[in-house]
């Protein structure tokens, strides 16, 4: 695998590529940031087993790089939506997904506690979920302290999961395209499950006494 992409995964530029890809995919969800993170982590596994002769990313630095870029991207989208403007408001109003996200986010943030964290963290794994939640939080003018800590947790969870998939997949299957494909399949499965949870209606809350 790394013969094809070794010039990138075997140099410090991989960190810049990962950072830019993760940062921008909040606006362009089609960017293959997850694939890039997994490929870099698979390369790290190849180095650990001696299958790859050249230097490759450190998995801790790779995780922190991806998580940090994720948070910066979230906050950029959040600030953009916060400032809003008529054009952005009309675009959100035309989007059923963004409108639903605003409503759902408002309900969750009103409940507070772990509920709001679950939505932000789970949405980070769903296709375009990160974009929807970040823009929805900004457009709804939610306070930074209500959103930022969960964005950090979501970024760390997503980055840690993606790196772990690539690294352990590379350990078990070798630094090959098969390992990358299997790891990406696991990431896709997590995304599909997250998308279902994000779209699912909140439903009735159980009654509590007291």
């Amino acid at each position: 695998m790394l013969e094809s992409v070794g010039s990138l995964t075997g140099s410090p530029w991989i960190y810049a590529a990962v950072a830019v890809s993760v940062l921008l995919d909040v606006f362009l969800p089609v960017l293959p940031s997850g694939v890039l993170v997994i490929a870099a982590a698979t390369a790290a596994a190849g180095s650990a087993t001696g299958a790859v002769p050249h230097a490759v990313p450190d998995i801790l630095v790779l995780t922190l790089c991806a998580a940090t870029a994720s948070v910066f991207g979230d906050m950029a989208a959040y600030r953009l939506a916060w400032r809003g403007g008529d054009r952005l408001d009309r675009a959100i109003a035309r989007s059923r997904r963004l409108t639903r996200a605003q409503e759902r986010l408002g309900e969750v943030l009103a409940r507070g506690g772990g509920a709001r964290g679950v939505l932000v963290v789970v949405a980070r794994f769903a296709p375009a979920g990160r974009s929807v939640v970040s823009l929805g939080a900004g457009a709804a003018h939610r306070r930074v302290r209500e959103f930022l800590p969960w964005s950090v947790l979501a970024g760390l969870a997503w980055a840690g999961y993606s790196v772990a998939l690539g690294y352990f997949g590379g350990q078990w299957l070798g630094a090959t395209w098969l390992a990358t494909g299997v790891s990406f399949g696991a990431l896709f499965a997590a995304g599909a499950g997250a998308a279902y949870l994000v779209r699912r209606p909140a439903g009735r809350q159980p009654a509590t006494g007291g």
Side-chain angles (χ1 to χ4, degrees):
M1 179 187 80
L2 298 180
E3 284 74 16
S4 301
V5 293
S7 60
L8 181 60
T9 58
S11 75
W13 284 106
I14 185 60
Y15 299 119
V18 165
V20 170
S21 178
V22 174
L23 179 68
L24 294 182
D25 78 1
V26 70
F27 301 106
L28 299 170
V30 296
L31 288 177
S33 58
V35 176
L36 189 57
V37 172
I38 286 174
T42 303
S47 177
T49 60
V52 180
H54 52 71
V56 291
D58 178 85
I59 59 170
L60 178 59
V61 176
L62 180 64
T63 301
L64 292 177
C65 177
T68 301
S70 178
V71 174
F72 274 100
D74 288 355
M75 295 309 298
Y78 168 87
R79 285 298 183 187
L80 176 66
W82 179 285
R83 294 178 181 178
D86 293 338
R87 180 177 298 180
L88 181 61
D89 292 341
R90 287 195 298 268
I92 292 176
R94 287 195 300 267
S95 170
R96 293 179 58 189
R97 176 181 287 184
L98 286 174
T99 301
R100 189 183 308 117
Q102 279 186 301
E103 296 171 353
R104 178 84 185 277
L105 191 64
E107 295 173 1
V108 173
L109 291 177
R111 292 201 300 270
R116 70 168 72 115
V118 169
L119 177 64
V120 176
V121 174
V122 169
R124 181 61 184 88
F125 289 80
R130 173 192 180 200
S131 307
V132 169
V133 169
S134 298
L135 290 171
H141 286 194
R142 298 296 169 182
R143 288 173 293 183
V144 172
R145 69 168 179 255
E146 291 180 320
F147 178 68
L148 178 58
W150 300 112
S151 172
V152 172
L153 181 59
L156 286 170
W158 175 84
Y161 181 71
S162 301
V163 170
L165 284 178
Y167 186 79
F168 290 113
Q171 288 275 323
W172 294 333
L173 299 174
T176 64
W177 284 114
L178 175 62
T180 302
V182 170
S183 299
F184 182 70
L187 183 64
F188 179 82
Y196 170 77
L197 292 175
V198 169
R199 290 196 301 264
R200 189 178 64 178
R204 296 180 180 177
Q205 297 299 313
T208 56

